[in-house]
Amino acid sequence: MNGITRKSVQASHVRLLLAMIVPALLVLVGCKTPVTQYYVLNTVPAKQASKPAAPALAITLRQVEIPRYLDRPRMVSRDAENHLHISEYHQWGGRLRDDLANTLSDDLAERMGSVTVTTAPFPGSMDAEISLLVDFRQFERLADGYMHLRARWLLQRSGKIIENHYEQLQSDDVIVEYDYADMAAAMSQLLGRLADKVAMRILSLPPREKE
């Protein structure tokens, strides 16, 4: 009887352990780690045809600065006035500052026809007649649901500042909270609108005086 009793107790212990372990395993299987999603910015076509420009005109996007809180792989938004939300599983496909510079450069080339647009430090950028410097002060979705862009940009010719502007732009539509694909698309649209303003000023510059 004692042997039978011991076997019965052991079997009960096994059943109890299985009853505890199996549900825990099912929970672990069901709770898979989310897959990280990656995003990039896209060039936006110009809304109106560009004006003809001097064939010899060349510009370089010499410098792009962004706030340190945006200079990270993870996408950033605000869910309160002074509170940042940094996403764990929604990230940029490359470095945001480089993506901003390359996309803005492509947007400008799209809007200025035959004007040569380069991005520093690529070959030829140091020889360009016009230099563009952009300092993004803010570029994220705010608590009001809209994407906001605040930036100061300068144009230089022969080392002298010839244009100095401060832009505040806002997306046309509200972006659903945590909809990161729409956030990236809204950023691309705002970058295109910034390119519209910069291109208009560049194309209206008077020719450089002959020395």
Side-chain angles (χ1 to χ4, degrees), residues 8 19 26 31 48 59 64 88 92 103 105 118 120 141 157 162 173 179 183 208 210:
S8 298
L26 291 175
C31 297
Q48 54 186 359
I59 71 168
V64 171
E88 179 70 27
W92 294 110
T103 304
S105 178
T118 58
R141 177 193 181 276
R157 174 181 269 166
I162 55 175
D173 301 316
D179 189 337
M183 289 184 197
R208 181 171 57 180
K210 296 182 179 181

Side-chain angles (χ1 to χ4, degrees), residues 6-155:
R6 283 197 297 272
K7 290 181 179 180
S8 298
V9 171
Q10 291 173 352
S12 297
H13 287 167
V14 170
R15 286 195 295 272
L16 179 61
L17 286 173
L18 289 174
M20 296 172 61
I21 293 173
V22 170
L25 290 175
L26 291 175
V27 170
L28 289 175
V29 171
C31 297
K32 294 181 180 179
T33 302
V35 177
T36 301
Q37 304 294 321
Y38 296 94
Y39 304 86
V40 295
L41 300 173
N42 295 319
T43 302
V44 175
K47 291 185 178 181
Q48 54 186 359
S50 60
K51 298 191 311 181
L57 183 61
I59 71 168
T60 181
L61 181 54
R62 190 174 302 281
Q63 183 175 337
V64 171
E65 296 293 339
I66 63 175
R68 289 186 64 182
Y69 67 84
L70 291 178
D71 194 11
R72 63 182 69 238
R74 299 173 183 176
M75 296 182 72
V76 178
S77 60
R78 296 197 193 201
D79 49 22
E81 184 66 26
N82 295 309
H83 185 263
L84 298 176
H85 177 80
I86 301 175
S87 175
E88 179 70 27
Y89 299 107
H90 297 271
Q91 302 184 16
W92 294 110
R95 189 176 183 184
L96 178 58
R97 182 163 58 181
D98 294 341
D99 203 8
L100 286 169
N102 293 332
T103 304
L104 181 57
S105 178
D106 291 342
D107 279 334
L108 290 171
E110 169 79 16
R111 286 152 176 78
M112 294 192 294
S114 61
V115 174
T116 302
V117 182
T118 58
T119 304
F122 287 98
S125 61
M126 300 303 294
D127 300 324
E129 177 184 344
I130 305 294
S131 295
L132 170 63
L133 298 85
V134 185
D135 181 11
F136 290 96
R137 306 292 178 84
Q138 183 180 70
F139 205 174
E140 70 265 14
R141 177 193 181 276
L142 299 188
D144 63 3
Y146 292 93
M147 181 65 66
H148 291 260
L149 182 158
R150 293 192 300 114
R152 180 171 296 282
W153 58 273
L154 309 175
L155 292 179

